[in-house]
Amino acid sequence: MGGSESLLTGLNTLDKFAWVGAFSSGGIPEEFDKDFPKLDAKANSQLKLLWIACGVDDRLLELNRKLRSWLDAKGVHKVDVETPGAHTWMVWRRNLVVFTGLLFR
């Protein structure tokens, strides 16, 4: 549950985290308003990077898409990434290379 933990921890404590990366997030219900009660467009001033990535063959792709749509409706800026592959280390590894490169700009 690394991706959902990153989202739940990072997006609910923006005073401590400005870079949040979620890879194939699962484990969060679709009640996003309940899980992220204070999240809105004001978060953009605190977030340096919100990265949400998922493989197109991942069973969690639809949940990730719903979360990204909800974030759009809230006006929260993010980077959407869909890559070939499923819920596997190789998908996360490819995304990690790009994500970490953005952290140190």
XYZ file of all heavy atoms in Angstrom:
833
model
N 0.818 -1.200 0.000
C 0.000 0.000 0.000
C 0.852 1.251 0.000
O 0.490 2.256 0.576
C -0.946 -0.012 1.194
C -2.008 -1.085 1.090
S -3.333 -1.024 2.275
C -3.597 0.654 2.605
N 1.980 1.195 -0.662
C 2.874 2.340 -0.672
C 2.297 3.562 -1.351
O 2.448 4.681 -0.864
N 1.624 3.378 -2.482
C 1.067 4.511 -3.199
C -0.030 5.214 -2.413
O -0.059 6.442 -2.324
N -0.928 4.439 -1.818
C -2.005 5.071 -1.048
C -1.452 5.704 0.223
O -1.908 6.773 0.633
C -3.114 4.072 -0.721
O -2.668 3.064 0.156
N -0.461 5.074 0.835
C 0.166 5.661 2.031
C 0.817 6.990 1.690
O 0.740 7.953 2.450
C 1.213 4.697 2.557
C 1.190 4.232 3.976
C 0.018 4.537 4.844
O -0.995 3.868 4.756
O 0.138 5.460 5.676
N 1.474 7.048 0.543
C 2.093 8.309 0.105
C 1.046 9.394 -0.071
O 1.236 10.537 0.363
C 2.826 8.110 -1.225
O 3.897 7.229 -1.068
N -0.068 9.052 -0.708
C -1.128 10.031 -0.916
C -1.769 10.465 0.400
O -1.928 11.662 0.660
C -2.206 9.456 -1.849
C -1.782 9.240 -3.291
C -2.837 8.426 -4.035
C -1.546 10.574 -3.981
N -2.143 9.487 1.220
C -2.816 9.816 2.482
C -1.919 10.639 3.400
O -2.360 11.619 4.002
C -3.281 8.536 3.185
C -4.426 7.803 2.506
C -4.598 6.408 3.077
C -5.721 8.600 2.615
N -0.665 10.264 3.494
C 0.264 10.991 4.359
C 0.624 12.344 3.763
O 0.508 13.381 4.415
C 1.541 10.168 4.597
O 1.178 8.907 5.168
C 2.495 10.897 5.517
N 1.050 12.336 2.514
C 1.525 13.570 1.886
C 0.456 14.620 1.701
O 0.649 15.790 2.048
N -0.698 14.231 1.177
C -1.731 15.211 0.865
C -2.488 15.708 2.082
O -3.167 16.725 2.018
C -2.697 14.648 -0.183
C -2.064 14.345 -1.543
C -3.101 13.774 -2.495
C -1.401 15.591 -2.129
N -2.366 14.987 3.184
C -3.008 15.439 4.426
C -2.053 16.163 5.360
O -2.466 16.637 6.418
C -3.675 14.257 5.148
C -4.955 13.846 4.461
O -5.803 14.673 4.159
N -5.091 12.560 4.185
N -0.785 16.261 4.976
C 0.203 16.991 5.777
C 1.106 17.800 4.853
O 2.321 17.614 4.842
C 1.037 16.026 6.658
O 1.599 15.024 5.818
C 0.206 15.399 7.752
N 0.497 18.671 4.096
C 1.257 19.475 3.134
C 2.213 20.453 3.806
O 3.104 20.968 3.158
C 0.301 20.221 2.206
C -0.445 19.320 1.225
C -1.494 20.117 0.461
C 0.519 18.647 0.267
N 2.067 20.648 5.087
C 3.022 21.478 5.810
C 4.349 20.742 5.997
O 5.369 21.356 6.295
C 2.458 21.903 7.168
C 2.094 20.720 8.051
O 1.533 19.723 7.535
O 2.358 20.788 9.259
N 4.355 19.428 5.751
C 5.567 18.627 5.912
C 6.069 18.024 4.600
O 7.235 17.682 4.477
C 5.315 17.507 6.907
C 5.043 18.010 8.313
C 4.708 16.862 9.240
C 4.460 17.310 10.651
N 3.426 18.278 10.839
N 5.175 17.853 3.617
C 5.530 17.196 2.359
C 5.122 18.065 1.179
O 3.959 18.428 1.044
C 4.839 15.833 2.234
C 5.258 14.858 3.295
C 4.482 14.669 4.432
C 6.428 14.132 3.160
C 4.869 13.770 5.410
C 6.821 13.239 4.137
C 6.043 13.060 5.274
N 6.071 18.364 0.306
C 5.785 19.151 -0.889
C 5.932 18.320 -2.157
O 5.472 18.726 -3.210
C 6.716 20.361 -0.955
N 6.578 17.180 -2.066
C 6.750 16.276 -3.190
C 6.077 14.963 -2.818
O 6.465 14.306 -1.848
C 8.225 16.017 -3.475
C 8.956 17.203 -4.000
C 9.133 17.542 -5.320
C 9.622 18.222 -3.246
N 9.856 18.698 -5.421
C 10.171 19.145 -4.159
C 9.784 18.458 -1.888
C 10.878 20.264 -3.762
C 10.483 19.574 -1.488
C 11.025 20.462 -2.419
N 5.068 14.584 -3.589
C 4.312 13.364 -3.300
C 4.281 12.520 -4.562
O 3.869 12.989 -5.625
C 2.868 13.691 -2.841
C 2.085 12.413 -2.575
C 2.881 14.589 -1.608
N 4.729 11.276 -4.434
C 4.717 10.354 -5.559
C 3.896 9.128 -5.231
O 4.105 8.507 -4.196
N 2.955 8.808 -6.105
C 2.113 7.625 -5.920
C 2.256 6.738 -7.149
O 2.054 7.182 -8.274
C 0.666 8.040 -5.724
N 2.595 5.506 -6.917
C 2.814 4.538 -7.978
C 1.801 3.412 -7.821
O 1.836 2.692 -6.834
C 4.232 3.964 -7.894
C 5.317 5.008 -8.035
C 5.561 5.935 -7.033
C 6.075 5.062 -9.190
C 6.546 6.892 -7.168
C 7.075 6.017 -9.327
C 7.302 6.934 -8.317
N 0.882 3.282 -8.763
C -0.137 2.215 -8.740
C -0.893 2.199 -7.418
O -0.978 1.176 -6.755
C 0.501 0.848 -8.996
O 1.160 0.817 -10.226
N -1.448 3.328 -7.060
C -2.104 3.457 -5.761
C -3.366 2.616 -5.665
O -4.205 2.619 -6.538
C -2.478 4.916 -5.502
O -1.328 5.691 -5.499
N -3.473 1.926 -4.569
C -4.666 1.159 -4.246
C -4.924 1.279 -2.760
O -4.166 1.913 -2.041
N -5.989 0.696 -2.312
C -6.250 0.691 -0.880
C -6.978 1.907 -0.360
O -7.287 1.986 0.820
N -7.267 2.864 -1.220
C -8.062 3.999 -0.770
C -9.456 3.862 -1.376
O -9.605 3.494 -2.537
C -7.440 5.366 -1.152
C -7.136 5.438 -2.647
C -6.224 5.673 -0.334
C -6.618 6.783 -3.103
N -10.484 4.102 -0.570
C -11.841 4.023 -1.121
C -12.101 5.212 -2.043
O -11.333 6.171 -2.064
C -12.727 4.068 0.119
C -11.896 4.711 1.169
C -10.461 4.429 0.837
N -13.180 5.132 -2.772
C -13.511 6.210 -3.703
C -14.161 7.405 -3.019
O -14.652 8.304 -3.699
C -14.394 5.678 -4.825
C -13.649 4.742 -5.744
C -14.512 4.233 -6.874
O -15.351 4.988 -7.374
O -14.333 3.065 -7.247
N -14.158 7.441 -1.721
C -14.691 8.583 -0.970
C -13.550 9.562 -0.725
O -13.138 9.804 0.405
C -15.290 8.102 0.349
C -16.436 7.130 0.151
C -16.857 6.468 1.444
O -16.012 6.320 2.357
O -18.026 6.093 1.541
N -13.069 10.157 -1.811
C -11.887 11.000 -1.737
C -12.097 12.214 -0.832
O -11.170 12.649 -0.164
C -11.452 11.437 -3.132
C -11.199 10.292 -4.070
C -11.870 10.203 -5.268
C -10.293 9.286 -3.749
C -11.636 9.149 -6.145
C -10.056 8.230 -4.600
C -10.731 8.156 -5.813
N -13.311 12.747 -0.807
C -13.599 13.894 0.068
C -13.380 13.536 1.535
O -12.984 14.381 2.325
C -15.040 14.387 -0.130
C -15.207 15.159 -1.419
O -14.316 15.961 -1.751
O -16.228 14.952 -2.098
N -13.637 12.306 1.881
C -13.461 11.854 3.264
C -11.981 11.640 3.594
O -11.522 11.968 4.684
C -14.246 10.566 3.493
C -14.354 10.163 4.952
C -15.121 8.860 5.119
C -16.594 9.084 4.871
N -17.404 7.885 5.173
N -11.233 11.101 2.636
C -9.813 10.823 2.872
C -8.946 12.075 2.788
O -7.879 12.134 3.406
C -9.292 9.788 1.878
C -9.746 8.386 2.220
O -9.877 8.079 3.422
O -9.978 7.593 1.292
N -9.385 13.055 2.001
C -8.617 14.288 1.806
C -9.532 15.493 2.046
O -9.816 16.267 1.124
C -8.026 14.333 0.388
C -7.273 13.088 0.005
C -7.827 12.154 -0.858
C -6.010 12.841 0.537
C -7.135 11.003 -1.211
C -5.314 11.686 0.196
C -5.876 10.768 -0.674
N -10.009 15.666 3.275
C -11.052 16.661 3.547
C -10.642 18.114 3.312
O -11.497 18.944 2.995
C -11.397 16.432 5.020
C -10.182 15.780 5.596
C -9.586 14.970 4.487
N -9.385 18.436 3.430
C -8.948 19.829 3.291
C -8.301 20.126 1.950
O -7.891 21.252 1.706
C -7.967 20.179 4.417
C -8.577 20.075 5.795
C -7.563 20.370 6.870
C -8.162 20.144 8.242
N -7.170 20.304 9.295
N -8.226 19.142 1.079
C -7.502 19.306 -0.170
C -8.321 20.098 -1.191
O -9.461 19.748 -1.493
C -7.132 17.941 -0.743
C -6.108 17.940 -1.855
C -4.763 18.481 -1.375
C -5.930 16.533 -2.401
N -7.727 21.165 -1.671
C -8.339 21.965 -2.732
C -7.228 22.705 -3.471
O -6.048 22.434 -3.261
C -9.396 22.918 -2.174
C -8.851 23.881 -1.134
O -7.624 24.161 -1.127
O -9.638 24.383 -0.321
N -7.601 23.636 -4.312
C -6.622 24.340 -5.152
C -5.575 25.097 -4.340
O -4.488 25.376 -4.855
C -7.346 25.289 -6.105
N -5.855 25.402 -3.091
C -4.864 26.081 -2.250
C -3.619 25.221 -2.044
O -2.545 25.730 -1.751
C -5.469 26.459 -0.899
C -6.468 27.585 -0.977
C -7.004 27.905 0.398
C -8.449 27.503 0.423
N -9.110 27.604 1.681
N -3.774 23.913 -2.219
C -2.641 22.995 -2.064
C -1.549 23.264 -3.098
O -0.384 22.959 -2.859
C -3.117 21.549 -2.181
N -1.920 23.852 -4.222
C -0.946 24.108 -5.284
C 0.185 25.017 -4.825
O 1.305 24.912 -5.326
C -1.634 24.704 -6.507
C -2.618 23.729 -7.127
O -2.393 22.517 -7.123
N -3.720 24.249 -7.627
N -0.089 25.884 -3.875
C 0.969 26.771 -3.384
C 1.969 26.026 -2.495
O 3.084 26.492 -2.298
C 0.362 27.950 -2.621
O -0.285 27.500 -1.442
N 1.578 24.871 -1.983
C 2.458 24.076 -1.123
C 3.113 22.915 -1.867
O 4.221 22.518 -1.532
C 1.671 23.539 0.075
C 1.190 24.633 1.006
C 0.281 24.074 2.077
O -0.858 23.744 1.813
N 0.808 23.964 3.279
N 2.413 22.363 -2.836
C 2.934 21.208 -3.566
C 3.957 21.624 -4.614
O 3.694 22.494 -5.431
C 1.798 20.481 -4.280
C 0.982 19.493 -3.479
C -0.252 19.071 -4.256
C 1.818 18.291 -3.098
N 5.108 21.007 -4.568
C 6.112 21.182 -5.620
C 5.851 20.167 -6.738
O 6.061 20.463 -7.903
C 7.525 20.969 -5.076
C 7.874 21.834 -3.900
C 8.270 23.201 -4.350
C 8.826 23.947 -3.144
N 8.474 25.325 -3.119
N 5.409 18.960 -6.349
C 5.137 17.912 -7.318
C 4.177 16.893 -6.718
O 4.408 16.395 -5.620
C 6.435 17.208 -7.725
C 6.316 16.004 -8.663
C 5.718 16.410 -10.003
C 7.677 15.351 -8.861
N 3.103 16.631 -7.435
C 2.206 15.522 -7.131
C 2.218 14.622 -8.355
O 1.780 15.011 -9.434
C 0.788 16.018 -6.828
C -0.288 14.932 -6.669
C 0.104 13.895 -5.615
C -1.628 15.572 -6.349
N 2.768 13.442 -8.203
C 2.991 12.499 -9.295
C 2.098 11.286 -9.064
O 2.184 10.631 -8.025
C 4.458 12.086 -9.265
C 4.878 11.000 -10.181
C 4.745 9.650 -9.978
C 5.533 11.147 -11.441
N 5.286 8.957 -11.020
C 5.772 9.857 -11.948
C 5.944 12.240 -12.180
C 6.404 9.632 -13.145
C 6.574 12.021 -13.383
C 6.800 10.733 -13.861
N 1.224 10.999 -10.018
C 0.344 9.847 -9.904
C 0.544 8.994 -11.150
O 0.177 9.397 -12.252
C -1.126 10.270 -9.748
C -1.271 11.127 -8.490
C -2.026 9.040 -9.675
C -2.653 11.671 -8.271
N 1.136 7.824 -10.957
C 1.479 6.947 -12.073
C 0.845 5.574 -11.889
O 0.689 5.091 -10.768
C 2.997 6.807 -12.171
N 0.492 4.965 -13.029
C -0.084 3.624 -12.992
C 0.113 2.974 -14.356
O 0.082 3.663 -15.390
C -1.575 3.713 -12.655
S -2.295 2.142 -12.140
N 0.310 1.677 -14.366
C 0.417 0.937 -15.619
C -0.959 0.742 -16.243
O -1.957 0.582 -15.534
N -1.026 0.740 -17.556
C -2.321 0.634 -18.234
C -2.954 -0.757 -18.100
O -4.152 -0.909 -18.340
C -2.227 1.030 -19.728
C -1.874 2.499 -19.872
C -1.241 0.158 -20.477
N -2.183 -1.741 -17.680
C -2.720 -3.083 -17.461
C -2.894 -3.385 -15.968
O -3.202 -4.519 -15.598
C -1.795 -4.128 -18.093
C -1.688 -3.951 -19.596
O -2.735 -3.729 -20.239
O -0.557 -4.010 -20.124
N -2.731 -2.381 -15.129
C -2.853 -2.532 -13.676
C -4.328 -2.590 -13.295
O -5.139 -1.807 -13.792
C -2.181 -1.333 -12.991
C -1.955 -1.557 -11.511
O -2.856 -2.082 -10.822
O -0.872 -1.183 -11.026
N -4.679 -3.492 -12.404
C -6.063 -3.603 -11.941
C -6.518 -2.346 -11.199
O -7.710 -2.132 -11.003
C -6.220 -4.834 -11.060
C -5.537 -4.723 -9.714
C -5.482 -6.055 -8.971
N -4.983 -5.983 -7.634
C -3.758 -5.651 -7.255
N -2.870 -5.296 -8.159
N -3.409 -5.651 -5.997
N -5.594 -1.505 -10.804
C -5.913 -0.279 -10.063
C -6.008 0.955 -10.953
O -6.199 2.064 -10.458
C -4.855 -0.044 -8.975
C -4.760 -1.156 -7.940
C -3.537 -0.961 -7.054
C -6.024 -1.213 -7.104
N -5.901 0.767 -12.258
C -5.902 1.908 -13.174
C -7.170 2.747 -13.054
O -7.102 3.974 -12.997
C -5.709 1.440 -14.618
C -5.667 2.538 -15.665
C -4.509 3.497 -15.412
C -5.565 1.937 -17.061
N -8.320 2.113 -12.994
C -9.577 2.868 -12.933
C -9.665 3.707 -11.658
O -10.097 4.855 -11.700
C -10.775 1.922 -13.039
C -12.083 2.638 -13.270
C -12.080 3.530 -14.508
O -11.460 3.186 -15.530
O -12.703 4.607 -14.454
N -9.239 3.157 -10.531
C -9.226 3.923 -9.282
C -8.297 5.124 -9.395
O -8.624 6.228 -8.971
C -8.810 3.040 -8.106
C -8.675 3.739 -6.746
C -10.019 4.299 -6.300
C -8.119 2.783 -5.723
N -7.145 4.923 -9.996
C -6.201 6.025 -10.191
C -6.795 7.100 -11.095
O -6.640 8.299 -10.844
C -4.889 5.500 -10.780
C -3.983 4.907 -9.725
O -3.002 5.512 -9.321
N -4.313 3.710 -9.254
N -7.505 6.686 -12.133
C -8.145 7.657 -13.022
C -9.237 8.441 -12.301
O -9.387 9.652 -12.506
C -8.721 6.950 -14.247
C -7.652 6.507 -15.223
C -8.243 5.763 -16.387
N -7.228 5.472 -17.393
C -7.413 4.621 -18.388
N -8.570 3.977 -18.530
N -6.450 4.413 -19.262
N -10.002 7.768 -11.463
C -11.048 8.454 -10.699
C -10.432 9.464 -9.739
O -10.956 10.574 -9.579
C -11.901 7.447 -9.940
C -12.819 6.661 -10.834
C -13.613 5.633 -10.065
C -14.498 4.842 -11.019
N -15.262 3.803 -10.308
N -9.335 9.087 -9.090
C -8.654 10.019 -8.196
C -8.150 11.228 -8.969
O -8.323 12.372 -8.537
C -7.493 9.333 -7.479
C -6.595 10.246 -6.647
C -7.382 10.892 -5.502
C -5.399 9.497 -6.124
N -7.559 11.001 -10.117
C -7.040 12.115 -10.913
C -8.170 13.040 -11.370
O -8.016 14.262 -11.360
C -6.237 11.577 -12.097
C -4.970 10.875 -11.620
C -4.037 10.412 -12.715
N -4.633 10.177 -14.001
C -4.469 9.060 -14.714
N -3.745 8.070 -14.244
N -5.006 8.936 -15.905
N -9.308 12.478 -11.728
C -10.466 13.303 -12.112
C -10.960 14.118 -10.933
O -11.322 15.293 -11.079
C -11.601 12.420 -12.637
O -11.248 11.826 -13.843
N -10.980 13.509 -9.756
C -11.401 14.220 -8.549
C -10.439 15.370 -8.253
O -10.877 16.477 -7.920
C -11.478 13.241 -7.375
C -11.894 13.865 -6.091
C -13.165 14.132 -5.678
C -11.037 14.306 -5.035
N -13.144 14.712 -4.430
C -11.856 14.827 -4.020
C -9.658 14.303 -4.850
C -11.334 15.344 -2.824
C -9.146 14.820 -3.672
C -9.979 15.332 -2.681
N -9.146 15.124 -8.387
C -8.152 16.182 -8.179
C -8.340 17.312 -9.184
O -8.228 18.492 -8.826
C -6.735 15.607 -8.265
C -6.322 14.695 -7.114
C -5.049 13.930 -7.466
C -6.149 15.479 -5.832
N -8.648 16.971 -10.431
C -8.932 18.000 -11.439
C -10.118 18.855 -11.005
O -10.075 20.082 -11.108
C -9.243 17.367 -12.804
C -8.016 16.821 -13.508
O -6.884 17.248 -13.181
O -8.188 15.961 -14.389
N -11.175 18.213 -10.530
C -12.362 18.941 -10.091
C -12.058 19.866 -8.914
O -12.668 20.930 -8.774
C -13.475 17.957 -9.720
N -11.098 19.479 -8.088
C -10.678 20.294 -6.942
C -9.681 21.376 -7.341
O -9.342 22.233 -6.540
C -10.041 19.411 -5.861
C -10.992 18.495 -5.160
C -11.887 19.302 -4.252
C -12.707 18.441 -3.346
N -13.470 19.241 -2.397
N -9.170 21.304 -8.562
C -8.195 22.288 -9.029
C -6.780 22.024 -8.562
O -5.940 22.921 -8.567
N -6.496 20.788 -8.168
C -5.166 20.423 -7.674
C -4.289 19.996 -8.850
O -4.652 19.096 -9.611
C -5.254 19.285 -6.628
C -3.867 18.869 -6.165
C -6.118 19.705 -5.453
N -3.141 20.644 -8.996
C -2.213 20.321 -10.086
C -1.485 19.017 -9.786
O -1.113 18.756 -8.640
C -1.185 21.426 -10.260
C -1.792 22.743 -10.594
N -1.150 23.927 -10.351
C -2.990 23.093 -11.139
C -1.906 24.933 -10.727
N -3.037 24.452 -11.209
N -1.264 18.252 -10.836
C -0.588 16.968 -10.691
C 0.020 16.564 -12.013
O -0.282 17.158 -13.045
C -1.572 15.900 -10.233
C -2.577 15.580 -11.326
C -3.805 14.953 -10.816
C -4.908 14.915 -11.839
N -4.854 15.837 -12.946
N 0.864 15.565 -11.960
C 1.406 14.942 -13.167
C 0.749 13.575 -13.271
O 0.846 12.768 -12.344
C 2.946 14.807 -13.099
C 3.474 14.051 -14.298
C 3.593 16.175 -12.969
N 0.051 13.343 -14.381
C -0.592 12.050 -14.644
C 0.323 11.221 -15.520
O 0.776 11.704 -16.557
C -1.891 12.236 -15.427
C -2.930 13.053 -14.700
O -2.854 13.161 -13.479
O -3.829 13.582 -15.381
N 0.560 9.985 -15.118
C 1.417 9.119 -15.914
C 0.757 7.750 -16.046
O 0.414 7.132 -15.042
C 2.813 8.954 -15.260
C 3.686 8.038 -16.084
C 3.466 10.301 -15.052
N 0.576 7.331 -17.283
C 0.137 5.967 -17.568
C 1.177 5.362 -18.495
O 1.505 5.947 -19.525
C -1.242 5.953 -18.219
C -2.338 6.361 -17.275
C -3.740 6.206 -17.858
O -3.872 5.683 -18.988
O -4.695 6.621 -17.188
N 1.701 4.230 -18.090
C 2.753 3.575 -18.859
C 2.340 2.137 -19.166
O 1.457 1.594 -18.501
C 4.078 3.561 -18.075
O 3.865 2.895 -16.828
C 4.595 4.949 -17.822
N 2.968 1.511 -20.135
C 2.672 0.104 -20.399
C 3.010 -0.736 -19.163
O 3.944 -0.422 -18.428
C 3.609 -0.251 -21.554
C 3.954 1.050 -22.191
C 3.936 2.065 -21.088
N 2.227 -1.779 -18.935
C 2.529 -2.702 -17.850
C 1.428 -2.814 -16.822
O 0.426 -2.110 -16.877
N 1.657 -3.707 -15.885
C 0.675 -4.020 -14.843
C 1.179 -3.548 -13.479
O 1.967 -2.610 -13.397
C 0.397 -5.518 -14.843
N 0.733 -4.208 -12.440
C 1.095 -3.867 -11.064
C 2.409 -4.588 -10.726
O 2.437 -5.557 -9.956
C -0.039 -4.320 -10.135
C -0.031 -3.665 -8.792
N -0.505 -2.404 -8.585
C 0.371 -4.113 -7.584
C -0.399 -2.092 -7.312
N 0.147 -3.117 -6.679
N 3.492 -4.082 -11.327
C 4.771 -4.791 -11.211
C 5.912 -3.824 -10.910
O 5.835 -2.624 -11.191
C 5.114 -5.535 -12.517
O 5.269 -4.580 -13.573
C 4.035 -6.537 -12.886
N 6.977 -4.398 -10.404
C 8.164 -3.633 -10.067
C 8.736 -2.915 -11.283
O 9.197 -1.791 -11.197
C 9.210 -4.550 -9.427
C 10.573 -3.936 -9.362
C 11.685 -4.395 -9.988
C 10.973 -2.757 -8.668
N 12.753 -3.564 -9.714
C 12.333 -2.545 -8.900
C 10.301 -1.843 -7.864
C 13.043 -1.482 -8.370
C 11.012 -0.770 -7.335
C 12.357 -0.606 -7.593
N 8.693 -3.551 -12.444
C 9.279 -2.922 -13.635
C 8.555 -1.617 -13.989
O 9.188 -0.651 -14.409
C 9.256 -3.882 -14.823
C 10.234 -5.040 -14.680
S 11.937 -4.518 -14.323
C 12.369 -3.716 -15.839
N 7.250 -1.572 -13.817
C 6.490 -0.336 -14.067
C 6.925 0.723 -13.068
O 7.212 1.866 -13.430
C 4.970 -0.595 -13.974
C 4.194 0.712 -14.009
C 4.529 -1.514 -15.104
N 6.994 0.371 -11.807
C 7.360 1.329 -10.751
C 8.799 1.797 -10.930
O 9.115 2.952 -10.719
C 7.165 0.714 -9.379
C 5.782 0.184 -9.171
C 4.621 0.726 -9.652
C 5.418 -0.989 -8.483
N 3.555 -0.046 -9.289
C 4.014 -1.122 -8.559
C 6.129 -1.961 -7.798
C 3.310 -2.168 -7.973
C 5.426 -2.996 -7.208
C 4.037 -3.095 -7.293
N 9.646 0.881 -11.317
C 11.060 1.215 -11.502
C 11.246 2.256 -12.607
O 11.975 3.233 -12.438
C 11.832 -0.056 -11.834
C 13.298 0.145 -12.007
C 13.943 -1.198 -12.229
N 15.113 -1.026 -13.059
C 15.862 -2.003 -13.477
N 15.571 -3.245 -13.182
N 16.916 -1.764 -14.204
N 10.566 2.063 -13.728
C 10.655 3.046 -14.820
C 10.132 4.410 -14.368
O 10.720 5.443 -14.669
C 9.873 2.557 -16.042
C 10.557 1.452 -16.816
C 9.875 1.186 -18.153
N 8.453 0.895 -18.048
C 7.929 -0.330 -17.989
N 8.705 -1.386 -18.008
N 6.631 -0.489 -17.919
N 9.024 4.403 -13.642
C 8.456 5.663 -13.155
C 9.344 6.303 -12.092
O 9.461 7.522 -12.046
C 7.047 5.440 -12.607
C 6.039 5.377 -13.712
O 5.661 6.387 -14.288
N 5.599 4.174 -14.033
N 9.955 5.488 -11.264
C 10.822 6.016 -10.212
C 12.002 6.783 -10.807
O 12.397 7.830 -10.291
C 11.322 4.884 -9.311
C 12.160 5.286 -8.116
C 11.360 6.182 -7.167
C 12.655 4.049 -7.384
N 12.544 6.292 -11.908
C 13.663 6.966 -12.558
C 13.252 8.385 -12.974
O 13.967 9.351 -12.725
C 14.163 6.150 -13.775
C 15.124 6.961 -14.619
C 14.806 4.857 -13.314
N 12.094 8.509 -13.586
C 11.630 9.828 -14.038
C 11.254 10.705 -12.850
O 11.618 11.874 -12.778
C 10.439 9.678 -15.002
C 9.940 11.043 -15.456
C 10.831 8.830 -16.203
N 10.520 10.142 -11.897
C 10.076 10.884 -10.716
C 11.254 11.445 -9.921
O 11.280 12.634 -9.589
C 9.222 9.971 -9.827
C 8.800 10.594 -8.530
C 7.841 11.597 -8.493
C 9.342 10.160 -7.327
C 7.436 12.156 -7.294
C 8.954 10.715 -6.126
C 7.995 11.717 -6.106
N 12.247 10.625 -9.641
C 13.371 11.112 -8.839
C 14.161 12.180 -9.570
O 14.714 13.083 -8.954
C 14.309 9.969 -8.405
O 14.733 9.228 -9.554
C 13.621 9.049 -7.421
N 14.195 12.100 -10.895
C 14.852 13.139 -11.684
C 14.184 14.496 -11.504
O 14.839 15.539 -11.559
N 12.892 14.494 -11.260
C 12.145 15.745 -11.050
C 12.351 16.313 -9.646
O 12.173 17.516 -9.428
C 10.656 15.514 -11.300
C 10.280 15.120 -12.723
C 8.802 14.761 -12.794
C 10.625 16.214 -13.705
N 12.728 15.468 -8.721
C 12.918 15.917 -7.341
C 14.134 16.807 -7.173
O 14.163 17.666 -6.306
C 13.091 14.715 -6.400
C 11.908 13.773 -6.265
C 12.280 12.620 -5.345
C 10.685 14.494 -5.754
N 15.132 16.603 -7.990
C 16.409 17.277 -7.796
C 16.719 18.312 -8.879
O 17.834 18.506 -9.242
C 17.517 16.238 -7.686
C 17.281 15.278 -6.552
C 16.828 13.996 -6.795
C 17.461 15.688 -5.249
C 16.585 13.123 -5.754
C 17.215 14.821 -4.197
C 16.778 13.537 -4.446
N 15.702 18.957 -9.372
C 15.888 20.016 -10.371
C 16.208 21.314 -9.701
O 15.806 21.657 -8.661
C 14.617 20.197 -11.188
C 14.462 19.097 -12.193
C 13.322 19.449 -13.093
N 13.377 18.521 -14.203
C 12.637 18.628 -15.251
N 11.786 19.600 -15.364
N 12.737 17.758 -16.214
